[in-house]
Amino acid sequence: MGDEPGSRREPGTRIGRTALADVAAEAGVSTSTVSHALNGTRAVRAETRERVVRAAERLGYSRNRVARRQPKRRTTVVGLVIDCIATTPFAGRIIRGAQEAAREHGAHLTVVDCGGDPEVEDVHVRSLADRGVDGILIAGGSHREIERPGAIGDLPVVLVDAVPAPGWDVPAVAPDEHGIAATAIAHLLAAGHRRLAFITSSEDTPATRGRHAGFRSAVEWAGLYDRHAPVERASPDAAGGRRMGRRLLDHPTGDRPTAILCFNDQMAMGVYQAAEALGLEVPRDCSVVGVDDLEIVAAGLDPGLTTVALPHREMGRWGMSALLERIAGRAVDATGPVLLAGELVERRSVGPPRRLLGWFNRG
């Protein structure tokens, strides 16, 4: 069925569209911003509110009409857009922390998985905005830069396990990557190691840059030089760790590192495999430390892997708390990411080095 010939439909009565969507399109904002601006349910910038009101007036909508369609909500609703829920336990830890903070504040959390695809991420952000969420958490899944989604509009947003790309000032929380590497190296130095190596990721990410800087600072503080502390780059997986582990360990006793720090636990597993293929044992012939505390790997290796656990749960809690502050209209510092420390988890992959007098005499 359609309109009678010559009939004229008033603005906002078009089939399949809502008054909010029309006003949002006219004002160039999200539907949730329209609702908040017209109903006063959340603080909206004065210029944005004025633009929404003008758009509503042009389309012939009254605030009362919109208010009837969008009743005032008692519960704050927050969307969480996150990577790879099904393939990594880190996502679950972030969700757990965010859910705990939401529950403490009486807020409701809606979670969507973008699978690491920026285009899907933008679609989810737009969908959450259209459903009228009060704010959005965007979690990287691994410490990376995130571009500002075009659909975010004026919604409050906080980044978790991520930092904003240049030109976007928004609150963010991330691991202290520099401190994580420094913690691992301090543990190896305390065990007596002075010939160290670092197998890092070949990907250019904030995590890669931060851990490399932390490693370099720690070994320089200990008075070690490049020959005593080489850095190798590989794909951040078991295959990359296996390949670089063999390159570092396939040398006579005096010419190989006594300890290796790996960018993550998967690479550490590859180093274990390389050592076994060469007839070496961890930690007798080489100590190994990872980063992540990916329990299915770290606790499953023999011997168990000493590693630095990333603060995923704590980041989820901080991100949710900061977002709720923004939703309430309270300022949250966006001048730089909040960095949270990792925690050393000691198992059995670190031991004292063999005495390498021959190597030190050559150094």
Side-chain angles (χ1 to χ4, degrees):
M1 295 178 63
D3 297 336
E4 292 297 326
S7 65
R8 182 177 181 272
R9 184 180 290 117
E10 290 298 317
T13 62
R14 286 173 288 172
I15 296 173
R17 297 199 61 188
T18 68
L20 284 180
D22 287 330
V23 177
E26 179 76 9
V29 297
S30 68
T31 54
S32 63
T33 298
V34 172
S35 176
H36 292 310
L38 295 178
N39 298 319
T41 51
R42 177 170 63 77
V44 176
R45 289 199 300 264
E47 58 270 26
T48 302
R49 184 186 302 279
E50 184 177 356
R51 191 164 74 247
V52 170
V53 170
R54 287 177 180 173
E57 290 174 348
R58 285 195 298 271
L59 294 176
Y61 296 119
S62 68
R63 299 188 188 195
N64 289 337
R65 184 187 304 180
V66 177
R68 286 195 301 269
R69 297 170 69 96
Q70 293 287 325
K72 187 174 181 179
R73 188 173 53 220
R74 295 180 180 178
T75 302
T76 299
V77 178
V78 173
L80 171 57
V81 180
I82 193 168
D83 282 348
C84 307
I85 294 175
T87 57
T88 170
F90 304 145
R93 296 175 190 175
I94 290 174
I95 294 169
R96 181 179 180 185
Q99 185 65 68
E100 289 172 349
R103 189 180 302 114
E104 291 168 5
H105 291 83
H108 176 75
L109 181 64
T110 297
V111 180
V112 292
D113 184 358
C114 65
D117 187 330
E119 292 185 3
V120 174
E121 179 179 273
D122 200 64
V123 168
H124 282 316
V125 168
R126 185 178 301 278
S127 175
L128 288 168
D130 287 344
R131 281 187 275 168
V133 298
D134 296 287
I136 295 180
L137 288 173
I138 302 178
S142 62
H143 189 178
R144 61 180 176 89
E145 286 187 351
I146 292 182
E147 299 283 346
R148 186 183 189 280
I152 202 69
D154 294 317
L155 276 175
V157 62
V158 172
L159 304 185
V160 176
D161 198 12
V163 294
W168 187 23
D169 293 325
V170 64
V173 60
D176 178 4
E177 306 290 3
H178 188 286
I180 284 166
T183 294
I185 294 304
H187 183 63
L188 292 171
L189 292 171
H193 294 278
R194 293 299 180 271
R195 183 175 172 94
L196 310 170
F198 179 32
I199 304 178
T200 188
S201 170
S202 56
E203 299 176 352
D204 183 21
T205 66
T208 306
R209 296 190 293 269
R211 292 177 201 177
H212 181 253
F215 172 81
R216 185 54 58 202
S217 294
V219 296
E220 288 177 356
W221 176 85
L224 305 180
Y225 302 97
D226 288 349
R227 186 182 175 190
H228 297 187
V231 175
E232 299 287 353
R233 291 174 173 79
S235 57
D237 51 28
R242 188 164 54 247
R243 180 166 59 86
M244 286 304 168
R246 186 159 193 129
R247 176 182 294 184
L248 289 166
L249 296 175
D250 194 12
H251 298 285
T253 300
D255 292 325
R256 63 177 181 248
T258 65
I260 297 175
L261 170 63
C262 297
F263 176 80
N264 60 26
D265 292 349
Q266 293 98 317
M267 297 182 90
M269 179 170 65
V271 171
Y272 270 57
Q273 295 167 347
E276 182 178 16
L278 293 169
L280 305 176
E281 293 183 13
V282 176
R284 185 195 68 184
D285 299 297
C286 183
S287 292
V288 180
V289 176
V291 175
D292 283 344
D293 195 27
L294 185 59
E295 292 184 19
I296 193 171
V297 174
L301 289 170
D302 186 20
L305 176 66
T306 293
T307 185
V308 182
L310 295 179
H312 291 102
R313 181 177 175 186
E314 294 81 1
M315 289 189 292
R317 287 187 63 90
W318 188 95
M320 175 59 76
S321 298
L323 183 59
L324 293 174
E325 287 289 301
R326 296 200 74 196
I327 291 171
R330 293 185 284 271
V332 177
D333 186 12
T335 58
V338 170
L339 302 180
L340 301 185
E343 180 181 358
L344 184 72
V345 180
E346 295 187 50
R347 294 189 177 93
R348 295 186 298 112
S349 65
V350 174
R354 290 185 172 185
R355 297 303 170 194
L356 305 179
L357 296 180
W359 184 88
F360 284 112
N361 288 338
R362 290 197 299 275

